[in-house]
Every structure is written in C-alpha cells, then in structure tokens.
Amino acid sequence: VDQAIEQYSKAIDLQPENATYYFGRGWAYVANKNYESAILEFSNAIDLQKGFSNAFYARGWAYEQNGQPSQAIIDYSEAIAISPGHVNAKFSRGVLRFFNNQMSEAEQDFKDVYVLAATELKDYALLWGYLSHMRSGSSTSQSRQAYIKYKTVTDWPGIIYSVFKGAIGSEKIIAAMKSSDAMAQRKRECVGYFFLGQHRLIKGDLDIAKEDFQKVLQTGITS
C-alpha cells in the first residue's frame, strides 16, 4: 500500500490536474485506514473532475469508516444523483439509513439495489430490505405478504431469506455456513449469525439474538 501511495504521488507530481491519480491515492489511504487523508484525496478528485460519481461514493465510504455517517449519506446521495444506477452507493446508504432508524428510506434503497444488482449484492439487498420492512413497524404477516413475491434461493447468502419466509429452520443456515476454507467459513458465520440475530431480535427472542450477535463478534471479521 505504501508503494502504491508513493507511485500515485509521483504521478500527481507529473500531472497535478489528473483526478484519477488523487482517486487512486485516496483508496490507497483507505487501505491504510488513513481516512482523513483519503477524504482529502477524494475531495481533490471531485474538485478536478465534474460529476465524478465514484469519487463521491469513495469519499462517502471514507466518511463512514471515519465515524461520520451523516456526511457519508450526503456523499452517497450525491453519487446517486449523478449516477442513479450506482448500486454500491444505494446499498451503503441503505445500511446507514437502517442504523439511523430511517426504515422506509432504507427499504427503498434496498429495493432499488435488488432490481439493479447482478451479483450477490442482490441477495443482500433482499435480506436488508425485508429487515427494514419489519423494523418499520409492520407485523410479521404483513412483511411476509409484502415480500412473498421474491423467490426463495438456495445459494449463499440468499438462502438466509428462506428463514425469514419461514420455509426452513435456522439449523439449515448454520449447516450452510460450513466450508472447507476456514476464512470463508468465518465470513459466512459473521453474515449468517448477524441476520439470524436480526430475525430473532424482531421476533422478540432477545436472549438468543444476543447469543447470535456474540457469535458474530467471535468470528473476528470486521470488514
């Protein structure tokens, strides 16, 4: 990472008006967890290139990692205004809105991502969208009815939605977390127990939810 920063710095010395180099150096600073410097770099890129939606998204991400969620939402929204199909910005904004108790707005972001995404982000958007709907005050039956149209999938992580629908029990998800790769299993456990915990939290099973969230922490996965 340090070498990347050095190379970008040399490139900037040669072409100080090139927004792409500041953008690249910004992500290198993010990798180094130097979020203040990253924010400055992404700001430089935004100043140099009008309508640089990915730079707004990147600065929003740096703000989020730096503990500034309100500023992050502003930048994610700017990225979306420039590029309405920016699924990463919509997804990230949805998560922040969820934890800011803006459930209706979060659900809409996740619905948009579900329509637009072509990767497993689609499945994550479905999971987060359902949780947002539930946390908005709707009853379990209302939420299931609202989301009944979404197909049940058997692949990870979409299979978790089957628990939300009541189609399978949590033991199937726990089994699906298993992997011959230790890191892959830890990541699945992090995701799986998080969503199981959220589901149990909504159902009022607070003690079991607490156990699930403790298992999330025990994975050591922070990304």
Side-chain angles (χ1 to χ4, degrees):
V1 175
D2 290 338
Q3 187 175 4
I5 292 172
E6 181 181 348
Q7 293 301 314
Y8 279 123
S9 297
K10 289 179 179 178
I12 289 168
D13 287 340
L14 294 172
Q15 297 183 41
E17 302 301 312
N18 190 319
T20 303
Y21 295 147
Y22 293 96
F23 180 74
R25 190 164 68 176
W27 277 118
Y29 279 128
V30 167
N32 252 356
K33 298 186 178 182
N34 186 347
Y35 302 121
E36 295 287 351
S37 294
I39 289 166
L40 290 174
E41 297 298 339
F42 295 135
S43 296
N44 287 332
I46 289 167
D47 290 340
L48 288 168
Q49 183 174 317
K50 183 179 180 181
F52 198 163
S53 61
N54 281 335
F56 277 106
Y57 166 72
R59 191 172 69 176
W61 180 257
Y63 274 127
E64 182 177 345
Q65 304 311 304
N66 202 42
Q68 298 171 267
S70 296
Q71 191 61 49
I73 288 175
I74 291 172
D75 273 355
Y76 290 147
S77 298
E78 188 63 34
I80 294 164
I82 297 167
S83 301
H86 203 305
V87 292
N88 288 326
K90 281 182 177 286
F91 187 85
S92 295
R93 186 176 69 175
V95 172
L96 289 182
R97 283 174 161 176
F98 179 90
F99 285 111
N100 201 37
N101 204 33
Q102 297 173 292
M103 297 304 170
S104 296
E105 295 86 349
E107 183 184 10
Q108 187 57 57
D109 278 337
F110 295 131
K111 281 184 174 180
D112 291 344
V113 173
Y114 184 84
V115 171
L116 294 167
T119 64
E120 69 176 15
L121 200 62
K122 191 181 193 76
D123 290 339
Y124 283 112
L126 177 59
L127 295 171
W128 280 102
Y130 180 84
L131 290 180
S132 300
H133 193 89
M134 287 292 294
R135 293 284 289 272
S136 68
S138 300
S139 68
T140 301
S141 60
Q142 287 174 324
S143 292
R144 283 181 178 167
Q145 190 61 38
Y147 278 77
I148 198 70
K149 62 183 179 181
Y150 297 102
K151 67 177 183 178
T152 300
V153 296
T154 57
D155 295 334
W156 187 270
I159 190 174
I160 299 172
Y161 181 59
S162 299
V163 173
F164 293 172
K165 290 181 68 175
I168 63 173
S170 59
E171 70 279 356
K172 293 288 184 68
I173 303 304
I174 294 171
M177 296 178 194
K178 304 297 183 183
S179 173
S180 57
D181 183 277
M183 177 57 73
Q185 179 167 325
R186 285 170 56 204
K187 288 181 177 180
R188 286 195 173 194
E189 288 173 349
C190 179
V191 170
Y193 283 118
F194 173 79
F195 282 111
L196 286 177
Q198 288 286 343
H199 184 55
R200 285 162 171 164
L201 193 64
I202 289 168
K203 292 174 63 179
D205 300 332
L206 304 187
D207 289 338
I208 301 177
K210 186 186 296 184
E211 291 176 7
D212 286 335
F213 294 136
Q214 188 60 44
K215 289 174 182 176
V216 173
L217 296 177
Q218 288 171 353
T219 66
I221 301 296
T222 59
S223 58

